[in-house]
Every structure is written in structure tokens, then in C-alpha cells.
Amino acid sequence: MTLDPVDEHNLRLGKAVMNSHALELVALIVLAQSLGVSIQVGSIVSNHAGLRSTLAIIRSVSELPDYPLDAGAVKEWLKLAERAVTARNRVIHTPWMQTESGQLAATLHPGWVTHPAASTDVDEDADLLMKTALAGQALLKDAELKDTE
């Protein structure tokens, strides 16, 4: 079955959204481990803070002398995570539309000027999000996860 370009692009956007959620989940678990709290508490803090602030909190506490994770590895992951957040925002917040001619485009404000959408860019951003989520999981593989408090 062949998809039209808009449906194909929508699948790519869905992949980016799914991978973004994976990154958010991993970030909240890294946050919980960084703070020494349960995943449930980490989730509450992260949901209120947002992803960029969650990463900033992780960065701050990674400087503490009794930081429970590998601080060097976490700081390297944070660099990747910052790039991934920028990629996420580019995909999620771009106002996508279909032009009158049926082509997929991203709008540029003001004046609703459009430029052609590059599906490969969305794929690259989605892949970076998943790569970052997996790298975050690797930080935790030896950590003892606290799921309740």
C-alpha cells in the first residue's frame, strides 16, 4: 500500500511524538534517580517543570558531591538531550499544513508564507529523540530504581 505524501508525513510526525514521549519518560526517571526519589515523585516534578527545566535540574544536581549516578556520563547525555529537545520543538511546534496544490508545507509567520516540508528532517529529529532516550536508559541500567517511596 502506497501512502500519499501527507499521510506519510503524518506517520513521521507520529514517530517523532512517540520518541519525544520516550525521552520525557527517561528524563523523569533520570531526574528521580538524581534526586533520590521515587519515579512517581520524579514524574510529578518533571510534569510541572517541563522537559528543559527537568534537564536543568538534573544538570544542577549532577554537580553535587554525593550524586548517585555517573556525573560525567549524565553531563554528556544532557548535551545530547538539549539537542533532542530542540529537535522535538522544531517538529512539534512547526505549523504544518497542506497547500492548495496538495503539497505538504510548513508555514512561516507572518503572512502564512510556506516552504516545502522535508520529511527527512522530521525523520532525523525523530531518530535523535530515540537515540537520546536510549542513551538515557543506558545511564540507568546499573542504577537501582526506586518505584515507591
Side-chain angles (χ1 to χ4, degrees):
M1 176 169 101
T2 304
L3 296 174
D4 70 37
V6 173
D7 287 340
E8 188 175 313
H9 189 74
N10 287 338
L11 286 174
R12 287 182 163 94
L13 290 175
K15 176 182 171 186
V17 169
M18 181 183 73
N19 293 353
S20 175
H21 289 297
L23 174 58
E24 289 175 14
L25 177 61
V26 168
L28 80 84
I29 297 170
V30 172
L31 174 67
Q33 291 299 294
S34 296
L35 297 174
V37 298
S38 70
I39 293 171
Q40 183 179 19
V41 172
S43 177
I44 291 168
V45 173
S46 183
N47 287 338
H48 284 284
L51 187 53
R52 278 208 193 271
S53 293
T54 295
L55 298 177
I57 294 167
I58 295 167
R59 181 176 305 286
S60 293
V61 297
S62 72
E63 298 294 331
L64 297 173
D66 58 346
Y67 186 65
L69 300 174
D70 179 340
V74 168
K75 289 173 188 173
E76 285 302 310
W77 175 74
L78 286 167
K79 291 176 191 175
L80 186 62
E82 288 293 337
R83 286 185 31 232
V85 170
T86 299
R88 174 208 172 274
N89 289 343
R90 182 174 41 247
V91 171
I92 302 300
H93 297 295
T94 294
W96 303 102
M97 64 178 284
Q98 188 172 1
T99 64
E100 289 178 9
S101 66
Q103 291 187 313
L104 190 65
T107 61
L108 299 174
H109 300 286
W112 293 96
V113 175
T114 62
H115 62 90
S119 292
T120 54
D121 292 343
V122 175
D123 282 340
E124 288 173 7
D125 289 343
D127 291 345
L128 176 59
L129 286 160
M130 183 51 69
K131 174 183 175 181
T132 307
L134 293 172
Q137 283 180 330
L139 294 172
L140 300 167
K141 77 175 181 183
D142 294 327
E144 182 179 323
L145 297 180
K146 291 175 73 173
D147 59 2
T148 60
E149 211 160 57

